[in-house]
Amino acid sequence: MEWKTFLNYYQEYLEAPRGFGPINDSTLILHGIHDKVVLFPLAKVHKQSIRNSKLVSFKFSGHGLFYDEKNRFNEELVKFIEE
């Protein structure tokens, strides 16, 4: 499956009705742009698909952003919780 086809499929999957319904609560999406496990374009799909979401990209991190940029990770998390 081509990457763009997969992204379209995944976005449709996120938007499909489920037993628990859509996510309407404020949602923080923290994502490293160098992530090789969950590629960054999927974070953008999450952002588009989850109402009231905020995407924060970490430009010096991969999948372990909580380790790679732990101070910024904690700052963003605390800031989001306090909003």
Side-chain angles (χ1 to χ4, degrees):
M1 180 181 295
E2 290 182 32
W3 179 242
K4 288 195 180 230
T5 303
F6 174 76
L7 284 177
N8 290 336
Y9 169 80
Y10 191 70
Q11 186 161 12
E12 289 173 12
Y13 170 80
L14 288 174
E15 293 171 353
R18 307 240 181 324
F20 55 82
I23 300 171
N24 293 313
D25 294 323
S26 296
T27 303
L28 178 62
I29 304 166
L30 303 172
H31 205 104
I33 64 169
H34 303 290
D35 194 332
K36 301 292 188 215
V37 178
V38 180
L39 301 179
F40 188 73
L42 286 177
K44 293 179 179 179
V45 170
H46 286 137
K47 169 66 179 127
Q48 292 173 347
S49 302
I50 301 173
R51 185 181 313 159
N52 300 321
S53 65
K54 176 183 178 182
L55 173 60
V56 178
S57 59
F58 285 70
K59 62 182 176 180
F60 301 112
S61 298
H63 196 67
L65 59 116
F66 54 88
Y67 178 80
D68 296 333
E69 295 185 67
K70 61 185 168 214
N71 291 335
R72 180 164 178 235
F73 178 91
N74 289 330
E75 289 168 6
E76 293 291 346
L77 185 58
V78 168
K79 184 168 55 172
F80 179 77
I81 291 169
E82 292 177 344
E83 289 179 347

